[in-house]
Amino acid sequence: MRSHLLNGLTAEHYRRSVTEGVERVAAKLAATERPFTGVAVDELSPRVDAIDLDRPLGDTAAVLDELEDVYLKDAVYFHHPRYLAHLNCPVVIPAVLGEAVLSAVNSSLDTWDQSAGGTLIERKLIDWTTARIGLGPAADGVFTSGGSQSNLQALLLAREEAKSEDLGKLRIFASEAGHFSVQKSAKLLGLGPDAVVTVPVDRDKRMQTLALARELERCQAEGLVPMAVVATAGTTDFGSIDPLPEIAELCDRHGAWMHVDAAYGCGLLASRKYRHRIDGIERADSVTVDYHKSFFQPVSSSALLVRDAATLRHATYHAEYLNPRRAVRERIPNQVDKSLQTTRRFDALKLWLTLRVMGADGIGELFDEVCDLAVQGWHLLAADPRYDVVVEPSLSTLVFRFIPAAVTDPAEIDRANLHARKALFASGDAVVAGTKVGGRHYLKFTLLNPETTPSDIAAVLDLIAGHAEQYLGESLDRAS
Ligand SMILES: *Cc1c(COP(=O)(O)O)cnc(C)c1O
């Protein structure tokens, strides 16, 4: 079994195994004709169930054959131009190379004595990101597992900075289009059930700052503490960007921590064309970025950035076995002092190789392409009488609903849209997402693939209409 342990003696085995795996995936990616096979749970689960984990196959090729059957064959492929559903991106090759390097070397970024140069690479990328945001000379941050964790940590810092004796009095303000990790974080942080105040959005799904001002005033009038405002720079559903400068003003006035959740919109940090859309982000106390959404990085790759490095102390504990207090005096950079995690992947390496190969402009241009594609898609939808489209895109999302001329019952239209999404998924021809707007079921394209073309969008709209019409036809038959 020693032959499976990666070391100097097994370097050749490592090379062969990884190459074999890479060959399979490369062949797969070249051959996938649809983003999904449409496999059903009931069809796939017996294949997984049948495998006896206590009887290993030993041989890499046999295991890869088996993996083909239980995973690769029926996986959902984000690199396919007709995968248009969630905030998943096709990944750039330098980052995939980074993934292979980082897991082979297997550094852990918690302490210097487990990562050395990896620590410095992560720190340099944090500085690069804070400079792009414009957070100023005292800024710092840390890589995290994802936007949810970044938001949790931001709100932990905000809670500690609010210095309130009574957690029940703390309030967080976020728009109704904000991410649900804000609610989850409030719960984890021991805040009361009413801690998150939902602020309405305008027609463009941006937080209404007049409503925010009113809520902040009411909060203070009631003797409560405005702990934080979470502005979303790129809402998950619409890609809408809250008015950051106005929100910054209100945070200043009320002494609230300003957190910008730019999990999605962070791609604009690399864009020369559209960077201005997130102007005001530089006034944040903390920012969430998900490189694994709009920087085309493989999961996971995310960071939390803060204006004032000193606030990260709220996540610091010292342990003799890991990061003793004296290490701080000795100026040993232990990233665990800033993190909620202990053992932590060297995800930063992926972004590092991406920037060294492609440069920031290379990433920004890819993101610009999908933003431009969304505008083209919006024009298609706006001109198509079969569809109602919600807002003009600020990033790369389109939310729309099939509205047949002959049907007036909104509940029947809901069912037709739900059916179309399911039928499309089962066909594997394309994958789209769904959400609710004003209580009604809508469909959603999240465009993150620069290979997707306007004619892909048009074709998928035809497929959706076909499935919805078929459903309505059958439902007419049922009624008669
Ligand atoms: C995706 C997303 C998150 C959560 O990020 P994960 O990486 O999925 O944990 C948070 N906020 C917004 C606005 C998002 O779109």
Side-chain angles (χ1 to χ4, degrees):
M1 285 299 139
R2 287 284 190 84
S3 64
H4 293 293
L5 206 55
L6 178 54
N7 59 38
L9 301 172
T10 55
E12 187 49 37
H13 180 190
Y14 157 67
R15 192 177 285 127
R16 261 187 290 115
S17 289
V18 174
T19 306
E20 218 173 320
V22 169
E23 292 292 354
R24 298 260 184 157
V25 175
K28 195 84 217 163
L29 296 183
T32 42
E33 283 167 358
R34 293 179 300 166
F36 185 43
T37 57
V39 70
V41 183
D42 290 345
E43 204 179 321
L44 194 49
S45 62
R47 279 191 254 154
V48 177
D49 284 347
I51 289 171
D52 184 349
L53 291 175
D54 292 319
R55 299 181 65 174
L57 299 176
D59 164 63
T60 307
V63 169
L64 285 172
D65 286 342
E66 181 184 271
L67 189 69
E68 170 75 21
D69 191 45
V70 295
Y71 173 60
L72 291 174
K73 184 152 105 44
D74 296 295
V76 178
Y77 283 100
F78 302 157
H79 74 283
H80 193 280
R82 293 197 182 175
Y83 177 85
L84 309 171
H86 300 285
L87 272 163
N88 309 110
C89 50
V91 292
V92 291
I93 294 168
V96 178
L97 170 62
E99 192 75 63
V101 174
L102 74 93
S103 51
V105 181
N106 197 29
S107 297
S108 179
L109 274 270
D110 38 345
T111 55
W112 170 259
D113 70 357
Q114 301 175 73
S115 83
T119 297
L120 303 179
I121 285 176
E122 168 166 310
R123 288 189 155 208
K124 198 169 165 89
L125 286 166
I126 290 290
D127 291 346
W128 178 86
T129 309
T130 60
R132 288 245 158 191
I133 298 171
L135 284 180
D140 198 1
V142 69
F143 272 67
T144 69
S145 62
S148 303
Q149 194 192 17
S150 298
N151 285 346
L152 171 63
Q153 185 169 355
L155 292 171
L156 167 70
L157 306 186
R159 184 192 75 182
E160 296 301 295
E161 289 292 307
K163 299 186 182 68
S164 172
E165 302 281 289
D166 183 354
L167 293 187
K169 287 192 167 174
L170 296 176
R171 291 293 178 271
I172 301 168
F173 302 82
S175 97
E176 55 186 314
H179 194 262
F180 76 156
S181 54
V182 175
Q183 273 80 4
K184 284 195 189 183
S185 301
K187 190 165 188 178
L188 281 164
L189 292 169
L191 310 189
D194 305 321
V196 181
V197 178
T198 304
V199 182
V201 292
D202 64 15
R203 279 182 48 228
D204 294 324
K205 308 296 177 188
R206 295 152 39 100
M207 186 190 283
Q208 286 186 28
T209 44
L210 276 177
L212 174 64
R214 256 196 321 273
E215 290 292 352
L216 283 164
E217 272 153 30
R218 175 158 49 175
C219 173
Q220 280 181 319
E222 290 174 358
L224 304 171
V225 182
M227 175 188 123
V229 176
V230 178
T232 311
T235 57
T236 313
D237 260 351
F238 306 99
S240 49
I241 299 168
D242 288 340
L244 303 178
E246 288 95 323
I247 292 171
E249 287 300 318
L250 288 168
C251 286
D252 279 352
R253 195 177 315 152
H254 292 272
W257 177 280
M258 179 178 175
H259 176 62
V260 177
D261 179 356
Y264 178 12
C266 63
L268 296 187
L269 293 170
S271 164
R272 280 180 301 189
K273 205 163 153 190
Y274 300 124
R275 169 62 179 80
H276 61 272
R277 290 184 181 171
I278 48 169
D279 282 354
I281 194 172
E282 69 285 352
R283 297 181 62 181
D285 293 297
S286 58
V287 178
T288 287
V289 300
D290 261 358
Y291 306 108
H292 63 215
K293 285 180 181 163
S294 46
F295 273 70
F296 304 94
Q297 300 292 295
V299 178
S300 59
S301 183
S302 177
L304 170 70
L305 299 315
V306 296
R307 158 175 309 287
D308 177 4
T311 58
L312 289 170
R313 73 184 181 284
H314 299 306
T316 310
Y317 284 87
H318 291 287
E320 276 306 317
Y321 51 76
L322 191 67
N323 60 333
R325 214 173 278 279
R326 67 178 178 280
V328 179
R329 288 193 302 275
E330 290 168 15
R331 298 177 152 274
I332 295 168
N334 288 333
Q335 292 293 84
V336 72
D337 294 356
K338 310 173 188 178
S339 177
L340 299 183
Q341 291 168 270
T342 308
T343 305
R344 193 160 53 81
R345 290 164 55 82
F346 183 22
D347 286 319
L349 181 63
K350 297 179 282 189
L351 181 59
W352 179 269
L353 293 183
T354 303
L355 293 180
R356 298 310 294 143
V357 174
M358 302 169 59
D361 290 348
I363 288 293
E365 282 159 20
L366 291 178
F367 194 55
D368 288 349
E369 281 188 51
V370 292
C371 292
D372 292 338
L373 175 68
V375 173
Q376 292 173 289
W378 187 82
H379 286 297
L380 280 177
L381 278 159
D384 190 333
R386 298 173 299 175
Y387 288 101
D388 169 40
V389 56
V390 181
V391 282
E392 233 176 299
S394 317
L395 293 174
S396 63
T397 298
L398 294 166
V399 179
F400 56 92
R401 165 177 169 88
F402 178 73
I403 41 161
V407 182
T408 50
D409 175 10
E412 182 70 349
I413 301 178
D414 276 351
R415 288 190 289 272
N417 280 277
L418 286 170
H419 171 86
R421 179 184 174 197
K422 266 196 191 159
L424 192 62
F425 190 65
S427 76
D429 292 332
V431 186
V432 307
T435 190
K436 268 190 167 182
V437 182
R440 305 263 61 116
H441 287 284
Y442 277 71
L443 301 172
K444 178 166 84 163
F445 291 160
T446 310
L447 305 171
L448 280 176
N449 191 344
E451 292 294 316
T452 304
T453 61
S455 55
D456 284 312
I457 293 180
V460 175
L461 289 176
D462 287 344
L463 289 170
I464 292 169
H467 289 298
E469 271 155 7
Q470 188 184 3
Y471 170 84
L472 291 167
E474 285 168 7
S475 114
L476 259 182
D477 291 346
R478 277 195 298 276
S480 60

